[in-house]
Amino acid sequence: MPRSTVSSSFAGHRTPAAEAEMGSNPSSSAAAAAESSMASLIERATSTTAPAVDPVLLRAIKSSARASDGAIRDAFHLLLSLMSKPHSHVRLLAFSVADELFMRSKLFRSLLTDALDGFLPLAVGFRRAHPLPPPAASAGLLRKAAVQALERWHHLFGAHYRQLRLAVEYLKVSARVQFPGLRATVEARAAREARTQEILTAKVEQLRQSLASIKAEIRSTMDEIRNGLEIIRAEYEKFEGYVNDDDDAEQEIASLSMRSIRMASLMAGEWLPETQENEAVFDALREAYRLLVSKHLVTVQEWISVLVRVNLQDNRFRDSALKEFIDVKNEIRAVRDQCSELGLDLDNVRRRKGDQEEEDDEFWVEGNIEAPSPAKVQSSVDVASTSRDTGKGKKVVGGVKSDIGKAPVAGNGTRNLDPEKSKLFAEAPVVQWSSVLDRWGSSGDAHVNQRGLELESHWGRVDNDAVIPAAKIAELNVHSSVYREAPVEILPCHAPLKKGGLCQRRDLKVCPFHGSIVPRDAEGNPFEQHSGSFGAEVDPVEHCDIRGNSNELNGNRDGDYMEEASSSRMTDISNDYGNIAGTHDLGNVTVELARQAIKNVRKRDMDHKARERAQRQRIRQHNEDVLREAAIASTSYSAAAYEQPPESWGRRGRRGKAKAPTLASMLKKKVTSKDRIAERLLNTRATDATIREASHNEDMSYREAFPNQW
Amino acid sequence: MWLEEVRGRERGELRARRFEAAARARRAASLALSNRKEFATPHHGAVNSLQVDLTEGRYLLSGASDGSAAVFDVLNATDCEAGFIAKHKHILLVDKQHQNGHKFAISAAVWYPVDTGLFVTASFDQYVKVWDTNSTQVVMDFKMPGKVFTAAMSPIATTQMLIATGSADVQVRLCDIASGAFTHTLSGHRDGIMSLEWSASSEWILMSGGCDGAIRFWDIRRAGCFRVLDQSQSQLGRRPPLLKSTPENQDHIDSLGHSTSTRSSAQKRTRNSKNSPKLRKSQNLTQGHMQQRLHPGLSSSQNRATSHYGAVTGLRTTKDGMYLLSSGSDSRLRLWDIDSGCNTLVNFEAMRLQTGKPLQLAVTEDPSLVFVPCMASIKAYNLWSGMTFRAFRGHYELVNCCYYSEQDQELYTGSNDRQILVWSPSTPAFTEMEDDEKRQGLSAADEDNWSD
């Protein structure tokens, strides 16, 4: 059987000896000469590092393989042995040769398909235990090429070789190798295309019938809108005249600024305010507009896309319909632009509508709830009337609406205008948010059960009428805050650096590199030095003044410390100047003046220090006060912190019971009846035990005393 | 050669049976992966068991690791691909979705031998279930004490309908369909039972192979096991023919392949056979007597005999019921003479077998070829010489089972790659002719195509 030789000659595990044996196969004896050439050709073709087999060599291989079956057998065995080499590039080249032969020779196909279960793992490397050998790039190429080739083989010869079908199914389903599936995707796409075309042609057929009606509908809507706009325009012209004529008549617009804003907006939008008489026109217009934009425009666009995509034999209808639709679309666009120019846009319409509905809903709900209570008949009737008379309701809402619209504009004005309020604002303390704000300003009692829910507490019965007295609440609400100093901004040193730029160190008084911190200009030159350079000629008093000013500036910016520092420094400097002035042989007057200035400065300095001390005193005082208050008001931790004698608390608690219980008293342990019983039980037990022991002892002594009498 | 035989038959030179046997043998020898017939597998796991029903020879029952069992029509294809590829889809499927389906892998699926109205599945979920084929409902189930590795029904039984089951438990249990109870628990093995085979000649004899490496014979009418096969107790070659040694048989023994021992054994054999059959009979008698006496406990040495180093993974008797083939996890195939209980010492060529799973072997009806699943391939060995006849490659993963259909001379194999492959007799020239007729230019012709 020829098959036995085929099946026994199996991939990879073949030795050169076996190779030789196969080579000396009698069937290939005829091609003995060709064999060596075939072997050498394949060896040469697969021993390069080139990315693909040399086409000349490949042609030679093919021609020699075509010559005889023996050559093909030899090529097959040689290729199989090459495929088992531990080098992916060799495998890749061998595989490409095998692919060429597979596509051409039937014998090669039958040989390869019989050995396919050994061949495929070598080419695709799907077995975990035997991945493709090292050159990773070649391995990737090999896998890709193998999978593609297998798919091609399967497509062409799958019907003839069960092994191919099996291999493809196994790789797809069990090994989960991704097939490029080019053919499948192309086919699927074609099928999808055909299906969509079918649908599109059906749609076009439908359109053929309904085209006229669609167009008529759209036209009518657009006409409606145009008519509405005409009416409004006519009214607007009237209105313009009205506005120009009697300005004063508009009583409801109070302030001049408001009126000007309103006028400006009206002029910009060329917009006519909606009033009761033109309301119907507006409603119709809105309706038509919405219809046009949300329905007609969309349908027209859909139809255009359908017509663009459809493929018909007869394109005349398509072209004409397309043209018409594009015209209609442009028309719709024009109308829409016109509307938006007039300020009538869809969002606006929708919002108004939404508000209205919301309001209506609320009214309705309220009416429902209030209706059964007989005490409020009056109000319920009132509500009912509003909800019934929608027109009136709408108007009310509109009024509210406009008010709200004005509010933000007016708000700034009033805030600025009201000096009393602004003063109060300035004075008002900033309080952190807490539950205190909940009852801000109220001085009544509060229910313990605030929510008013009827809850059966498992801790016991709930007293629903329990009330927290106002005094207690005030006590609870005492607000403590610790004084915080305003944050001080530390200025950077700003001395010029050698490498350019300014020193960015922020030190309080002295920069470790550039000495004390002085205010400097943009280039880093200190103001003092700058002034000092020509200060010799200038009046020292003036100097002092300048310095004083700068000092103040400094103080304002840097806070107290800076002020102190700079001022002390400045006295030195001014002393120097004094000396300099003296040496410079100037008049006595100037010396006097200088001294006076120094004195002034020192005095101011003293003042400063005193003020500062007073300030600190105040702060300390404030903090202490606050802390004490807090301690008195609140709980035990403050008591512990201030080590108040416990008996005072006890006294307070006992005496306070009559008046008002305090928080601290709650912390005191209460002696309950349970405790008392427990104590008593314990005592009785103890006495029992002592009695028993005593009697036992007595007994024992009795027994000892009279051993034979018991 | 084929034509000569036909002519010989026409002339009456060839007897009908011989002609038939020759035809069958030829077909069996030409098995190859069938391109004309394929089963579309509905299984999502390894195919563990295959059996064609014994009455019609038409329905293939397969059991798989995903807990599904399917029935295929072997004769009539459900549809055709490309004009000539017959595709057999399952005509019945019970899987986990079925309300009574098995939870875990099905390890064995066997037909009720009398008709196709019932089949039995054994599963790792410790149940053996009996199914009604027509309503695909469970008729009866038996709870086992462990994973069930195998189940078997006697193909020749007329008085009993017992399902022999081997599980991870040491006892072989016989389940009675009639009563729904265990009628027997056969204890003797020291480990789980991987394979079971009913005798083909006596409906009372059951053979079991365990993970302890022992093959035990049970007579279900009597208590205890009556024989333990011992691999060291051997007889050389085939059992001498009872009447007279025909020249063919001589040839066969000569062709056994052993160089020196064959000669001597052949001589011995001929001498033996030339000796009066009385001697043999007496030998047999004494043996039988000893056996009789020994039976209840068996001597301890005999009781500990093993037939394989490692588990016995597969058992198969020949159709005539005279020989037993066993495969073990020691990658050995042994041929036993059932009558004497001896190892025939047929040296099957090197093979590598799966170790952890029951294997299903197949034997042709004239015991000439045995098909053994060897890892990812199936090997056909000559039963008497042990020579490798063919290797069938096509599966991509380990093969678990094979079944040889005597009626069509087809081989069905099931593997871990979920496929059930059909290996059918191929006569290339003939099929090509048919292909040419049937092909409708659908796909490229399978011909040489040298463009340059």
Side-chain angles (χ1 to χ4, degrees):
Chain A
M1 291 233 70
R3 298 194 69 93
S4 65
T5 60
V6 171
S7 56
S8 67
S9 64
F10 175 63
H13 312 297
R14 159 183 315 287
T15 56
E19 200 73 38
E21 190 192 36
M22 291 314 300
S24 64
N25 205 338
S27 66
S28 67
S29 60
E35 179 225 331
S36 63
S37 69
M38 173 63 91
S40 66
L41 280 175
I42 289 180
E43 286 290 349
R44 263 166 62 199
T46 55
S47 58
T48 61
T49 54
V53 181
D54 182 13
V56 181
L57 272 175
L58 192 61
R59 188 163 303 143
I61 291 170
K62 281 191 279 193
S63 60
S64 61
R66 194 177 183 177
S68 70
D69 284 359
I72 286 176
R73 278 179 215 280
D74 292 337
F76 169 70
H77 297 312
L78 195 55
L79 287 174
L80 267 193
S81 67
L82 284 173
M83 281 304 290
S84 60
K85 286 259 163 65
H87 195 288
S88 277
H89 196 68
V90 173
R91 288 194 190 183
L92 176 64
L93 296 176
F95 183 83
S96 57
V97 174
D99 185 24
E100 291 291 331
L101 292 178
F102 188 92
M103 294 301 286
R104 285 167 175 77
S105 164
K106 181 174 176 176
L107 177 62
F108 191 86
R109 277 197 288 275
S110 65
L111 290 171
L112 187 58
T113 48
D114 277 349
L116 201 62
D117 65 322
F119 180 81
L120 269 190
L122 300 176
V124 184
F126 57 83
R127 291 206 198 284
R128 192 71 50 83
H130 305 285
L132 292 179
S138 303
L141 283 175
L142 173 61
R143 179 196 304 271
K144 211 167 157 190
V147 170
Q148 269 177 5
L150 186 65
E151 197 183 23
R152 192 171 63 240
W153 297 351
H154 176 248
H155 180 72
L156 291 173
F157 306 110
H160 303 286
Y161 298 100
R162 172 83 172 115
Q163 291 91 340
L164 281 177
R165 298 199 296 270
L166 262 181
V168 168
E169 192 183 343
Y170 177 76
L171 287 187
K172 265 184 188 162
V173 178
S174 299
R176 299 193 190 284
V177 171
Q178 283 291 321
F179 276 77
L182 295 174
R183 212 170 302 278
T185 50
V186 165
E187 278 166 15
R189 197 182 302 152
R192 224 168 27 234
E193 196 73 13
R195 222 176 310 128
T196 48
Q197 278 302 327
E198 239 171 66
I199 295 167
L200 288 179
T201 40
K203 272 190 178 174
V204 170
E205 281 308 309
Q206 189 192 329
L207 179 65
R208 220 186 272 265
Q209 273 117 47
S210 60
L211 181 60
S213 69
I214 290 173
K215 271 199 307 188
E217 206 179 326
I218 293 172
R219 284 269 143 72
S220 76
T221 313
M222 282 195 297
D223 286 344
E224 212 174 304
I225 291 177
R226 286 210 187 92
N227 290 340
L229 288 178
E230 278 307 310
I231 294 168
I232 290 172
R233 184 155 297 144
E235 262 189 59
Y236 170 69
E237 269 147 24
K238 243 196 291 170
F239 170 75
E240 210 163 30
Y242 166 73
V243 165
N244 289 341
D245 283 351
D246 35 14
D247 258 332
D248 321 336
E250 290 187 69
Q251 291 295 332
E252 72 259 51
I253 302 171
S255 71
L256 193 75
S257 61
M258 279 306 301
R259 202 159 56 196
S260 68
I261 288 166
R262 188 187 154 101
M263 281 308 296
S265 71
L266 286 178
M267 296 309 281
E270 286 188 40
W271 180 232
L272 181 78
E274 190 180 341
T275 55
Q276 204 163 1
E277 53 263 29
N278 63 12
E279 190 189 322
V281 180
F282 268 88
D283 277 348
L285 199 55
R286 261 187 225 122
E287 198 66 36
Y289 179 81
R290 196 160 351 124
L291 190 68
L292 188 73
V293 172
S294 64
K295 194 180 154 212
H296 290 324
L297 189 59
V298 172
T299 46
V300 166
Q301 267 160 352
E302 268 175 14
W303 279 120
I304 288 173
S305 79
V306 165
L307 288 171
V308 165
R309 280 186 298 159
V310 80
N311 237 342
L312 291 176
Q313 283 85 17
D314 179 22
N315 271 346
R316 271 172 306 171
F317 171 73
R318 190 186 83 156
D319 292 345
S320 67
L322 199 55
K323 207 173 283 172
E324 278 176 35
F325 270 125
I326 288 169
D327 289 347
V328 168
K329 192 178 157 192
N330 288 338
E331 247 177 286
I332 291 175
R333 285 235 171 102
V335 169
R336 195 179 62 182
D337 291 347
Q338 212 174 343
C339 285
S340 58
E341 258 173 39
L342 289 176
L344 176 80
D345 63 323
L346 195 64
D347 289 346
N348 189 16
V349 171
R350 270 205 191 129
R351 203 185 59 221
R352 284 188 182 204
K353 269 278 189 251
D355 277 356
Q356 214 168 291
E357 276 159 19
E358 235 172 66
E359 299 279 2
D360 283 352
D361 273 358
E362 270 180 22
F363 281 145
W364 179 76
V365 168
E366 230 172 52
N368 223 8
I369 289 172
E370 299 291 347
S373 83
K376 294 184 179 176
V377 170
Q378 203 75 27
S379 70
S380 79
V381 164
D382 205 348
V383 167
S385 73
T386 49
S387 63
R388 210 185 302 131
D389 186 359
T390 45
K392 198 177 164 191
K394 209 189 289 173
K395 217 163 60 185
V396 167
V397 169
V400 168
K401 187 91 205 129
S402 63
D403 275 357
I404 287 166
K406 286 168 204 162
V409 188
N412 279 328
T414 49
R415 200 175 291 166
N416 288 343
L417 286 175
D418 196 346
E420 210 173 313
K421 202 170 180 183
S422 64
K423 209 176 93 186
L424 283 175
F425 266 129
E427 270 181 12
V430 178
V431 183
Q432 279 194 324
W433 187 90
S434 71
S435 58
V436 176
L437 298 175
D438 196 23
R439 294 179 48 79
W440 189 267
S442 70
S443 57
D445 296 350
H447 277 281
V448 170
N449 185 358
Q450 280 191 347
R451 290 169 296 179
L453 296 176
E454 304 237 339
L455 287 175
E456 201 56 49
S457 172
H458 64 273
W459 293 112
R461 285 215 339 227
V462 176
D463 183 7
N464 280 321
D465 300 328
V467 160
I468 306 176
K472 178 80 182 171
I473 286 172
E475 196 180 344
L476 285 170
N477 281 351
V478 166
H479 203 75
S480 65
S481 63
V482 178
Y483 178 82
R484 247 187 239 116
E485 236 174 317
V488 175
E489 199 207 348
I490 300 168
L491 283 183
C493 167
H494 270 321
L497 295 172
K498 268 181 204 164
K499 58 179 179 187
L502 301 175
C503 176
Q504 294 298 327
R505 277 187 67 94
R506 287 166 190 265
D507 296 286
L508 272 183
K509 292 177 195 173
V510 181
C511 172
F513 302 109
H514 307 100
S516 51
I517 290 164
V518 206
R520 294 164 194 262
D521 61 9
E523 278 114 52
N525 300 319
F527 289 124
E528 281 82 6
Q529 296 249 312
H530 188 246
S531 56
S533 60
F534 58 90
E537 289 87 42
V538 185
D539 196 353
V541 179
E542 221 172 41
H543 253 284
C544 281
D545 273 348
I546 291 165
R547 238 161 260 158
N549 284 342
S550 71
N551 209 0
E552 254 173 20
L553 268 174
N554 212 357
N556 282 346
R557 259 184 285 150
D558 288 5
D560 298 318
Y561 294 110
M562 279 309 282
E563 197 171 344
E564 190 187 2
S566 55
S567 59
S568 66
R569 168 172 45 78
M570 202 151 37
T571 50
D572 293 348
I573 291 167
S574 48
N575 264 336
D576 284 352
Y577 285 139
N579 290 340
I580 289 163
T583 52
H584 266 253
D585 198 23
L586 287 163
N588 274 339
V589 187
T590 48
V591 173
E592 286 274 316
L593 276 172
R595 274 180 191 152
Q596 182 65 37
I598 290 163
K599 227 181 259 173
N600 285 346
V601 167
R602 281 197 178 144
K603 196 180 168 202
R604 201 184 296 165
D605 200 15
M606 293 294 280
D607 283 355
H608 263 299
K609 275 182 180 166
R611 218 185 302 149
E612 205 180 325
R613 221 172 286 136
Q615 173 95 9
R616 279 184 192 154
Q617 184 71 28
R618 263 207 314 277
I619 292 168
R620 221 174 289 135
Q621 186 71 33
H622 171 84
N623 281 354
E624 264 174 24
D625 285 352
V626 165
L627 283 174
R628 196 182 305 128
E629 265 179 57
I632 290 164
S634 68
T635 53
S636 61
Y637 70 81
S638 54
Y642 288 88
E643 288 171 342
Q644 292 211 355
E647 71 267 14
S648 74
W649 285 103
R651 244 192 297 125
R652 221 180 209 271
R654 220 171 292 149
R655 211 189 296 159
K657 214 167 221 174
K659 301 182 288 184
T662 60
L663 277 173
S665 72
M666 283 162 70
L667 288 172
K668 229 187 91 190
K669 203 195 164 204
K670 278 178 194 152
V671 179
T672 58
S673 53
K674 196 178 162 190
D675 290 343
R676 276 197 297 274
I677 293 165
E679 201 178 352
R680 191 173 294 169
L681 273 174
L682 203 66
N683 286 341
T684 51
R685 232 174 257 160
T687 48
D688 279 355
T690 46
I691 288 166
R692 214 170 25 236
E693 188 147 351
S695 62
H696 183 70
N697 283 343
E698 210 175 329
D699 203 24
M700 286 305 285
S701 57
Y702 175 77
R703 282 182 196 180
E704 270 173 38
F706 308 97
N708 45 3
Q709 286 191 15
W710 52 279
Chain B
M1 187 178 155
W2 171 242
L3 284 178
E4 267 176 34
E5 278 178 17
V6 172
R7 216 157 286 148
R9 177 74 198 111
E10 278 173 355
R11 286 194 222 104
E13 290 166 4
L14 214 57
R15 300 254 166 176
R17 284 185 67 95
R18 270 197 89 118
F19 179 76
E20 187 197 337
R24 281 176 185 276
R26 187 198 322 285
R27 278 172 70 82
S30 67
L31 286 179
L33 187 61
S34 169
N35 189 37
R36 303 302 207 67
K37 193 183 217 177
E38 62 182 63
F39 292 117
T41 179
H43 301 301
H44 300 292
V47 179
N48 287 331
S49 168
L50 286 172
Q51 193 192 15
V52 175
D53 73 302
L54 303 173
T55 46
E56 283 179 86
R58 181 173 169 185
Y59 298 106
L60 176 72
L61 175 67
S62 66
S65 285
D66 63 342
S68 62
V71 175
F72 303 87
D73 189 339
V74 170
L75 295 183
N76 298 332
T78 45
D79 58 353
C80 259
E81 262 181 24
F84 56 91
I85 304 168
K87 202 147 195 174
H88 297 255
K89 291 204 174 111
H90 60 95
I91 53 176
L92 180 147
L93 176 71
V94 287
D95 54 11
K96 276 184 193 165
Q97 272 71 52
H98 190 280
Q99 54 172 346
N100 297 321
H102 283 291
K103 283 198 196 72
F104 304 139
I106 288 182
S107 51
V110 291
W111 283 108
Y112 181 63
V114 179
D115 64 42
T116 53
L118 286 179
F119 64 90
V120 180
T121 56
S123 163
F124 280 6
D125 66 4
Q126 310 195 349
Y127 275 98
V128 171
K129 292 185 176 174
V130 182
W131 298 79
D132 184 329
T133 316
N134 296 310
S135 64
T136 62
Q137 289 300 317
V138 173
V139 183
M140 196 171 284
D141 59 356
F142 300 93
K143 173 85 167 80
M144 292 292 151
K147 286 181 186 174
V148 191
F149 290 125
T150 180
M153 296 193 79
S154 171
I156 55 163
T158 51
T159 56
Q160 46 93 356
M161 267 305 125
L162 297 173
I163 308 165
T165 58
S167 61
D169 188 40
V170 296
Q171 289 166 329
V172 178
R173 285 167 191 254
L174 303 189
C175 316
D176 189 5
I177 300 179
S179 66
F182 301 125
T183 54
H184 299 62
T185 43
L186 311 174
S187 29
H189 281 289
R190 294 179 177 80
D191 205 342
I193 289 106
M194 280 274 219
S195 51
L196 285 170
E197 181 81 355
W198 287 91
S199 164
S201 52
S202 163
E203 61 173 307
W204 312 113
I205 307 272
L206 175 69
M207 294 161 276
S208 65
C211 295
D212 55 354
I215 298 173
R216 285 171 184 267
F217 283 48
W218 316 85
D219 186 335
I220 61 168
R221 294 166 296 186
R222 300 163 61 200
C225 112
F226 71 90
R227 180 178 289 162
V228 181
L229 296 186
D230 187 351
Q231 54 188 329
S232 61
Q233 192 185 6
S234 55
Q235 76 185 25
L236 273 176
R238 200 175 175 179
R239 190 187 337 179
L242 281 174
L243 297 173
K244 61 179 191 276
S245 62
T246 56
E248 307 178 295
N249 273 345
Q250 283 286 2
D251 287 348
H252 206 99
I253 289 159
D254 276 341
S255 71
L256 240 117
H258 306 288
S259 52
T260 52
S261 64
T262 318
R263 197 54 49 86
S264 62
S265 73
Q267 282 166 0
K268 218 188 285 171
R269 196 66 64 237
T270 46
R271 199 189 59 226
N272 264 357
S273 55
K274 268 172 193 164
N275 288 350
S276 63
K278 267 182 200 166
L279 179 70
R280 288 195 65 255
K281 215 158 208 175
S282 65
Q283 271 178 351
N284 271 353
L285 272 178
T286 52
Q287 228 174 5
H289 184 65
M290 198 174 68
Q291 204 177 295
Q292 209 80 357
R293 208 183 56 215
L294 264 177
H295 168 241
L298 288 167
S299 78
S300 66
S301 68
Q302 215 175 335
N303 199 11
R304 295 201 170 269
T306 57
S307 44
H308 281 280
Y309 300 106
V312 178
T313 51
L315 287 177
R316 176 68 66 202
T317 59
T318 54
K319 186 84 185 300
D320 53 17
M322 296 209 287
Y323 294 93
L324 177 71
L325 275 155
S326 68
S327 67
S329 57
D330 53 357
S331 285
R332 285 286 179 172
L333 195 63
R334 295 210 161 92
L335 181 67
W336 306 86
D337 188 334
I338 288 178
D339 184 51
S340 65
C342 288
N343 184 358
T344 56
L345 288 187
V346 173
N347 179 33
F348 290 97
E349 282 182 356
M351 62 179 83
R352 201 170 149 225
L353 301 179
Q354 277 194 74
T355 55
K357 243 180 160 178
L359 296 178
Q360 199 180 319
L361 314 174
V363 184
T364 52
E365 72 281 348
D366 61 324
S368 62
L369 286 179
V370 55
F371 301 97
V372 187
C374 299
M375 305 314 274
S377 65
I378 301 100
K379 283 188 179 170
Y381 290 93
N382 190 317
L383 190 70
W384 307 119
S385 67
M387 304 279 278
T388 309
F389 174 67
R390 286 279 309 279
F392 299 97
R393 306 191 152 275
H395 283 294
Y396 281 86
E397 277 170 35
L398 303 182
V399 182
N400 298 317
C401 54
C402 45
Y403 188 86
Y404 182 75
S405 162
E406 289 149 21
Q407 192 166 305
D408 304 324
Q409 290 88 43
E410 279 179 341
L411 179 71
Y412 307 117
T413 58
S415 144
N416 280 357
D417 61 7
R418 316 179 303 114
Q419 298 289 347
I420 301 167
L421 294 190
V422 188
W423 308 82
S424 54
S426 71
T427 42
F430 190 58
T431 50
E432 251 169 55
M433 241 157 57
E434 272 191 357
D435 281 3
D436 286 340
E437 278 172 23
K438 286 186 181 174
R439 190 166 49 222
Q440 296 141 3
L442 281 175
S443 56
D446 183 24
E447 279 159 7
D448 276 4
N449 175 27
W450 296 98
S451 57
D452 48 347

